[in-house]
Each structure stands twice: as C-alpha cells, then as structure tokens.
Amino acid sequence: MAQHDLILLGPPGAGKGTHAEYLKTDMNYMHLSTGDLLRVAVAAQNNLGKQAQTYMEAGELVPDDLVIDLVAERMEQLGSDEYYLLDGFPRTIVQAEALAEILEGIGREQPLVINLAVSDAEVVRRLSGRRMCPGCGTIYNVHRDGLDIGDNCPQCGGELYQRSDDQPEAIRNRLEVYKQDSALLIEYYRQRGQLVTVDAEQGQEEVSAELAQLARRGRLY
Ligand code: AP5
C-alpha cells in the first residue's frame, strides 16, 4: 500500500508512465499524469486541448498557468486517505512553487521527489520504440515486447499506435526542453531535502523494486 506522496521526475522516456502504472495498481496510488490529462483534452478538442495541442506536438511545454490549474483542480479533490503520484509535473520552478502552495493550502506535507536518471541515447532508443494502447493505456516497446503499430494489445485487443511526439524531431526537442528546466528543478528539491535519484537505465524490474522500496520507506528527512 502507498505510504507517501510521490513526484516522479525524469526526461521523456525515463519510465515515469511505466512505473506509475505499477505503483498505481500494486500500491494503490492515485496517478496524476499531466501528459495523459493533456492528451485527453487534445483528443476531446476542448478549450484546454486546443490551446495545448501545438505545444505538445512540437515537444514544447504547455504554458504554466494552464497546467497548474489542471493540477490544482485534481489535488483539491484528493481524499485525506489517498496518496498521490505526480508524473510529468512539476516541470518548471513556477510549477514547483505553485504545487508547494497548493499542498500547503490543503494541509498536506511536501512529497518525496524521485529523479529517474537515464542517458540521452537510452531515451532516444526507448521513445522511438514506444507503442501505446488506446484502449487500456498499456505502454509497450518494440525492442522488448516485439509489438508494433497496428498489432493488437495483449491486454485488451486495442490497436497499438505511436504517440505523435515520439517522432525523431519532437524527441530531440523534448530532450532539449527537459534539459533547460530540469537542472534548476532538481536543485530546488535537493535544497529542500526532498530529492532522491534512481538509476533508471536499469531494467524495468530493478527500477520498480527500488521505487516500491522508496514509496514504503517514505520520508528522507
Ligand atoms: P508527458 O506525457 O509527461 O511526456 P514526457 O515527460 O515527455 O514523458 P514520456 O511519457 O515520453 O516518458 P515516460 O518517462 O513516461 O516514459 P515511459 O514510461 O512511457 O508529456 C508530454 C507533453 O505534454 C510534454 O512534451 C508537454 O508538451 C506537455 N506537458 C506535460 N506535462 C506538462 C507540464 N507539467 N508542464 C508543461 N507541459 C506539460 O517509457 C518510455 C518507453 O521506455 C516505453 O516504451 C517503456 O516500455 C520503456 N521503458 C520504460 N522503462 C524502461 C526500462 N527500465 N528499461 C527498458 N525500457 C523501459
């Protein structure tokens, strides 16, 4: 069972979504992925989706105010007996400060922040091979699972597709964008004693085991 609120930081392809899925299912976390919420808004072509689409397809960050509103709305609905797992948020210092304020406002402690560290070469390899199921959201990889675009999802039968931002140019841009903001963000959480780094270049099972241990152990300070 979940015992501590968590943030997963890391470059695109670090495994945030993959491991969040495990922590949600096995440890009962409330998984909040800003990328997933934004993709739903884009698919629905609602007001937020129309504003976010161009940024996302280019691999740029969606403006802070839009994403902060989205997260604030979800956090305010959080039950006192629920633990959350933030995936893809915060991505800037402005977002980190807004989150700290939201948490203070709802009387929650500051979360443990897990930095999933992985090399650029591995990011490119993973993202170019990533395949998604539109039905159940399961994340696959051509290199590991041998499943490709158009194949059926073994879990639910959905037809696998490739995310539009997993094209080479968008991947390169996302990595650049990540590097611009991440050093400051990592330093922000290090100074507050909230940060722990995990070697996410390891296999999925090894990373999962480390994350589960951290989630159970809870606070670092
Ligand atoms: P978002 O959806 O958050 O994408 P991202 O951060 O670029 O991360 P990814 O989802 O690409 O990677 P992941 O770390 O989840 O990796 P995964 O588990 O899939 O954001 C998308 C866009 O939305 C942004 O570009 C931006 O425009 C916007 N956005 C979102 N949040 C925002 C915010 N806060 N502010 C502003 N804009 C925002 O794994 C990747 C692949 O690797 C998979 O195939 C998986 O099977 C495989 N894999 C995972 N772990 C391992 C392992 N250990 N070994 C081998 N393979 C592995």
Side-chain angles (χ1 to χ4, degrees):
M1 289 296 285
Q3 293 181 7
H4 205 281
D5 295 327
L6 296 180
I7 293 176
L8 291 185
L9 291 186
K16 302 180 296 294
T18 300
H19 296 294
E21 200 47 45
Y22 158 77
L23 290 163
K24 177 173 115 183
T25 312
D26 283 31
M27 298 188 78
N28 220 17
Y29 271 99
M30 201 278 288
H31 176 204
L32 209 167
S33 156
T34 43
D36 287 350
L37 293 172
L38 289 167
R39 278 185 286 280
V40 168
V42 170
Q45 281 294 292
N46 59 24
N47 196 20
L48 170 65
K50 284 182 188 156
Q51 292 183 76
Q53 185 164 14
T54 325
Y55 296 101
M56 293 178 75
E57 284 175 355
E60 298 289 338
L61 292 185
V62 172
D64 285 333
D65 53 340
L66 296 179
V67 189
I68 291 168
D69 285 352
L70 192 62
V71 171
E73 196 187 308
R74 302 284 158 143
M75 298 303 274
E76 275 153 18
Q77 293 162 4
L78 200 69
S80 56
D81 56 345
E82 283 182 293
Y83 289 94
Y84 66 83
L85 166 65
L86 278 173
D87 155 12
F89 184 95
R91 269 174 147 98
T92 62
I93 297 291
V94 172
Q95 293 181 15
E97 285 174 343
L99 176 65
E101 217 172 284
I102 293 167
L103 295 175
E104 245 178 70
I106 57 174
R108 286 187 88 102
E109 286 187 6
Q110 299 300 324
L112 180 66
V113 180
I114 302 178
N115 175 33
L116 297 174
V118 62
S119 66
D120 289 3
E122 180 65 6
V123 163
V124 172
R125 195 186 74 85
R126 287 185 190 174
L127 291 185
S128 52
R130 174 165 59 184
R131 304 293 179 258
M132 309 289 299
C133 174
C136 61
T138 302
I139 304 168
Y140 295 99
N141 203 289
V142 153
H143 308 304
R144 186 193 50 218
D145 308 306
L147 292 166
D148 212 338
I149 299 165
D151 287 343
N152 294 110
C153 170
Q155 313 280 339
C156 76
E159 200 174 305
L160 304 189
Y161 72 99
Q162 185 172 33
R163 261 171 55 173
S164 60
D165 60 354
D166 279 348
Q167 300 303 325
E169 198 181 328
I171 294 175
R172 272 194 298 276
N173 201 27
R174 284 158 67 202
L175 258 175
E176 283 312 309
V177 169
Y178 176 77
K179 284 179 187 167
Q180 280 159 26
D181 293 303
S182 64
L184 287 175
L185 201 54
I186 286 169
E187 194 46 35
Y188 173 91
Y189 283 120
R190 195 192 311 281
Q191 279 177 11
R192 284 159 182 75
Q194 285 173 255
L195 188 83
V196 61
T197 294
V198 165
D199 173 11
E201 194 111 0
Q202 305 176 87
Q204 216 166 290
E205 283 181 15
E206 286 83 355
V207 179
S208 271
E210 275 195 45
L211 295 185
Q213 212 176 14
L214 283 167
R216 284 197 196 92
R217 191 175 85 190
R219 299 185 72 88
L220 293 174
Y221 47 96

